[in-house]
Amino acid sequence: QVQPVESGGGLVQAGDSLRLSCAASTPVFSNYAMGWFRQAPGKEREFVAAISRTGPNTIYADSVKGRFTVSRDNARNSVYLQMNSLKPEDTAVYSCAASLKYSYTVIADNYDYWGQGTQVTVSS
């Protein structure tokens, strides 16, 4: 079983950068595609970014494309989300998730394991 644990959230100002990390306890991290999702108060969870098992393939939501970068370090069992040029509308709880079956996917139901999330708040 995989237990992702996110870290790196916080309170920043618009235009600032933040880097989220997600560490997963599993002997073979490279078996899992990883995704980032977010949920703002009163809104549904939405896809942010995903990365394939060994990292060559990535996909982003249109709302973050060009500002966010997803990467992974399989030797450290970790995936990262570098967030630049943050906007107030990026405020949400960010969660990472692991998928065993899919190479990388934007669909939340395709992920098997989820972290608890980390709060990101962007002030204007």
Side-chain angles (χ1 to χ4, degrees), residues 4-113:
V5 178
E6 303 91 343
S7 61
L11 173 62
V12 297
Q13 293 186 332
D16 285 351
S17 298
L18 206 57
R19 188 194 195 207
L20 304 184
S21 299
C22 173
S25 58
T26 173
V28 191
F29 183 64
S30 58
N31 280 353
Y32 297 86
M34 299 298 294
W36 285 96
F37 291 76
R38 67 186 182 186
Q39 187 166 19
K43 295 187 177 181
E44 294 187 354
R45 181 171 55 192
E46 65 171 347
F47 169 78
V48 176
I51 187 167
S52 58
R53 297 182 181 95
T54 56
N57 297 313
T58 58
I59 188 169
Y60 298 92
D62 288 343
S63 59
V64 306
K65 200 173 295 182
R67 300 188 298 122
F68 290 12
T69 302
V70 60
S71 61
R72 66 188 296 160
D73 183 342
N74 286 346
R76 296 180 182 271
N77 280 20
S78 293
V79 62
Y80 308 98
L81 186 67
Q82 178 66 43
M83 305 185 294
N84 298 330
S85 302
L86 282 162
K87 304 175 181 179
E89 51 263 44
D90 293 319
T91 295
V93 174
Y94 285 71
S95 300
C96 72
S99 176
L100 181 61
K101 182 176 179 180
Y102 294 87
S103 57
Y104 61 113
T105 174
V106 307
I107 301 173
D109 286 346
N110 290 342
Y111 288 86
D112 306 293
Y113 305 101

